[in-house]
Amino acid sequence: RQRQMCIREGYVYGLFGISKLFGCSQATAQRIKSSGVIDAAISQNGKIIVVDADLALDLLRVSNKKWGRKYSK
């Protein structure tokens, strides 16, 4: 099954959309979502996740948490 990122009017859908928005793996996208950093940008009904892309980017930019590699070189 081919996955596509749906962007419509500034929204992304699902963990795949979150991972493409932030340029990270789906596992990291799940950690970001579960951490609560972008909760204000997320609407979820069952398995359907809708994320306001602009708000999510702003919230992640403001947070102090560094996402990515565990140890920087």
Side-chain angles (χ1 to χ4, degrees):
R1 172 175 135 184
Q2 184 180 6
R3 292 185 173 192
Q4 298 176 1
M5 181 175 65
C6 258
I7 298 180
R8 200 174 311 163
E9 300 173 12
Y11 293 98
V12 293
Y13 300 91
L15 286 175
F16 185 74
I18 295 171
S19 68
K20 290 299 178 186
L21 178 66
F22 295 136
C24 62
S25 69
Q26 289 186 27
T28 302
Q30 176 62 44
R31 283 199 312 266
I32 292 170
K33 180 187 166 295
S34 297
S35 73
V37 172
I38 60 171
D39 274 354
I42 294 176
S43 296
Q44 184 169 356
N45 185 7
K47 293 183 179 182
I48 307 297
I49 302 169
V50 181
V51 181
D52 182 339
D54 295 330
L55 182 56
L57 287 170
D58 287 341
L59 290 171
L60 195 66
R61 189 176 302 119
V62 170
S63 81
N64 292 328
K65 180 81 172 165
K66 301 291 185 208
W67 298 102
R69 294 184 181 251
K70 193 171 186 178
Y71 304 103
S72 60
K73 293 182 179 180

